[in-house]
C-alpha cells in the first residue's frame, strides 16, 4: 500500500512541526549535496528552524564565497 498524499499546509502542532522540519532538513541537505557533486555546482543552503536555530550547507566552497558571488551579480541576473 502506498503513502497517503499529504496536504501541504502549515503544521499547527509545534512539536510535530519541529520533528517534520528536522526530518525534511536532512533530506534537503542530502539532495543539495548530491546536486553539487553530480553537476559540479556551487551551492549554499541556509535554513532557520521554527525555534530559530540556524542550519546550513555548502558544497565545495564556503557559504560566504557563494553569497559574495550572488551579491556581485548584476541586479537583472539574480532572478527575483
Amino acid at each position: 500500500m502506498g503513502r497517503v498524499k499529504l496536504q501541504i499546509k502549515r503544521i499547527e502542532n509545534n512539536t510535530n512541526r519541529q520533528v517534520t522540519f528536522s526530518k525534511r532538513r536532512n533530506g534537503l541537505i542530502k539532495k543539495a549535496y548530491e546536486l553539487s557533486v553530480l553537476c559540479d555546482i556551487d551551492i549554499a543552503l541556509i535554513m532557520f528552524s521554527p525555534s530559530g536555530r540556524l542550519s546550513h550547507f555548502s558544497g565545495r566552497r564556503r557559504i560566504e564565497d557563494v553569497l559574495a558571488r550572488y551579491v556581485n551579480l548584476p541586479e537583472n541576473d539574480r532572478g527575483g
Side-chain angles (χ1 to χ4, degrees), residues 11-39:
I11 299 171
E12 297 301 326
N13 182 291
N14 289 339
T15 304
N16 290 349
R17 188 179 322 122
Q18 184 63 45
V19 168
T20 300
F21 172 78
S22 296
K23 289 179 179 179
R24 289 187 175 230
R25 176 193 61 214
N26 292 336
L28 190 56
I29 290 172
K30 180 179 177 184
K31 291 292 185 185
Y33 168 76
E34 291 171 354
L35 187 62
S36 71
V37 171
L38 291 172
C39 300

Side-chain angles (χ1 to χ4, degrees), residues 12-77:
E12 297 301 326
N13 182 291
N14 289 339
T15 304
N16 290 349
R17 188 179 322 122
Q18 184 63 45
V19 168
T20 300
F21 172 78
S22 296
K23 289 179 179 179
R24 289 187 175 230
R25 176 193 61 214
N26 292 336
L28 190 56
I29 290 172
K30 180 179 177 184
K31 291 292 185 185
Y33 168 76
E34 291 171 354
L35 187 62
S36 71
V37 171
L38 291 172
C39 300
D40 193 29
I41 62 167
D42 294 330
I43 192 165
L45 180 62
I46 301 171
M47 299 173 280
F48 289 94
S49 73
S51 62
R53 294 189 64 201
L54 170 68
S55 298
H56 59 84
F57 168 81
S58 62
R60 296 171 296 143
R61 291 185 170 200
R62 298 178 325 142
I63 287 179
E64 295 85 356
D65 297 337
V66 177
L67 289 177
R69 186 173 168 190
Y70 174 77
V71 168
N72 291 330
L73 280 175
E75 192 77 30
N76 57 345
D77 288 343

